[in-house]
Amino acid sequence: MNNDRRKTIFITGASRGFGFALTKQFISNQWKVAPLVRKDKDATILKRIDEYSCFPIISDITDNSLQSSIQKSIKHHDGIDVLINNAGAGGSGVLLNETKSDEVLSLIDVHCLGVLRVTQAVMPFMKNDGIIINVSSRFGSISKVSTGELDNVPCSYCYRIAKAAQNMLTQCMCREFKNSGLKICSIHPGRLKTDSASVDADKTPEEAAAILFEMLNSIEHGKFYSLFEGSIEW
Ligand SMILES: NC(=O)c1ccc[n+]([C@@H]2O[C@H](COP(=O)([O-])OP(=O)(O)OC[C@H]3O[C@@H](n4cnc5c(N)ncnc54)[C@H](OP(=O)(O)O)[C@@H]3O)[C@@H](O)[C@H]2O)c1
């Protein structure tokens, strides 16, 4: 990456939790941040952190007008160095007969199609040596779910299906852009104490944001990282 300019990162789901912690982490390291939030009040709060470093975009990643909102805002930046697709939501129904097909569709809309929409909008602005990080989950790993190691941690069908769909999107992008200079990867951020916490949550979003910031320069294309534990099988 070019060190003569301030780097810029685009982060979705920045109103709270991991996305908010990431926004603060990058601003405190002199990056410019374009955080995507859904509500005016959250944009105002973020802008107040540092109006010269933080340029919020108000949109919903399931909304069809998302792409033009993103492009109107980020054309004012000198390219995007890092995109973190972080926005996400949990689901209900941990058993087959509790699972509603409408909710599965709605979570796929957020976790997979939301990532698709945002990435399509940001891609024309990505620096040639930029990094795209999709925030997935250990529950999106078919390998991990199939070994049974997560059997004692309740998680909805919808969330697991939606994150697995996102993982396939990530791998499709990894194959298409394998010789492009871009680095594309997925992360499980850890068991974070946020509004979407699992029953075994034990880390803060700030701890996870600090680890992600430190590992940026060593990220490898095509990997599925677990921030506190190395890497995960897809
Ligand atoms: N917490 C964990 O232990 C954990 C573990 C594994 C993976 N993850 C993943 O990590 C990411 C962040 O999780 P978190 O724990 O920080 O969650 P969180 O505290 O619940 O925050 C979720 C964020 O996503 C935003 N969001 C949800 N739906 C959106 C939409 N349709 N359009 C735009 N923004 C939307 C929310 O915005 P609003 O404030 O407007 O609702 C909020 O900013 C998620 O992808 C989650 O699946 C979390």
Side-chain angles (χ1 to χ4, degrees):
M1 289 183 190
N2 178 355
N3 290 321
D4 297 326
R5 51 180 272 282
R6 279 179 82 193
K7 292 175 186 170
T8 304
I9 182 167
F10 189 103
I11 305 170
T12 67
S15 64
R16 53 197 166 93
F18 186 43
F20 185 66
L22 284 168
T23 301
K24 288 185 294 178
Q25 176 74 36
F26 279 83
I27 289 174
S28 70
N29 282 281
Q30 285 74 53
W31 282 55
K32 291 198 291 174
V33 181
L36 186 136
V37 295
R38 290 196 278 195
K39 301 176 201 100
D40 289 345
K41 75 170 177 54
D42 292 323
T44 306
I45 290 167
L46 286 169
K47 192 84 194 151
R48 275 193 206 127
I49 296 175
D50 180 348
E51 64 176 313
Y52 301 106
S53 302
C54 192
F55 306 92
I57 297 161
I58 300 168
S59 196
D60 187 307
I61 64 169
T62 64
D63 194 326
N64 285 331
S65 64
L66 166 84
Q67 293 178 321
S68 64
S69 307
I70 288 178
Q71 294 188 338
K72 260 186 231 150
S73 301
I74 62 174
K75 70 180 180 199
H76 301 296
H77 298 293
D78 178 20
I80 300 293
D81 297 276
V82 178
L83 162 63
I84 302 188
N85 282 302
N86 164 75
S92 60
V94 296
L95 300 176
L96 180 69
N97 65 7
E98 296 168 346
T99 302
K100 299 179 190 75
S101 55
D102 284 354
E103 196 181 2
V104 175
L105 279 176
S106 121
L107 283 209
I108 289 176
D109 201 14
V110 173
H111 291 282
C112 181
L113 304 182
V115 171
L116 178 69
R117 291 182 192 99
V118 172
T119 307
Q120 285 174 332
V122 176
M123 193 59 102
F125 302 90
M126 288 298 300
K127 301 303 270 184
N128 291 338
D129 58 353
I131 301 172
I132 299 176
I133 299 170
N134 292 338
V135 181
S136 181
S137 165
R138 58 189 164 149
F139 290 108
S141 159
I142 291 179
S143 305
K144 262 191 179 295
V145 171
S146 60
T147 62
E149 65 186 282
L150 299 175
D151 281 358
N152 294 326
V153 192
C155 183
S156 69
Y157 268 51
C158 353
Y159 185 77
R160 286 183 279 178
I161 293 167
K163 286 297 198 192
Q166 184 204 97
N167 284 354
M168 180 54 85
L169 168 63
T170 305
Q171 272 302 334
C172 292
M173 287 163 44
C174 287
R175 302 318 303 161
E176 178 178 348
F177 295 98
K178 63 181 184 295
N179 297 320
S180 69
L182 282 174
K183 286 182 188 152
I184 302 171
C185 72
S186 189
I187 63 158
H188 162 57
R191 305 184 300 252
L192 308 183
K193 293 187 245 179
T194 65
D195 295 341
S196 301
S198 56
V199 292
D200 56 352
D202 60 354
K203 303 287 186 202
T204 66
E206 287 75 20
E207 287 175 272
I211 292 177
L212 181 55
F213 184 81
E214 286 306 316
M215 68 184 266
L216 261 193
N217 287 331
S218 57
I219 276 178
E220 290 176 31
H221 184 72
K223 283 230 175 168
F224 188 177
Y225 292 97
S226 175
L227 289 188
F228 293 90
E229 291 151 8
S231 59
I232 296 191
E233 292 297 315
W234 292 90

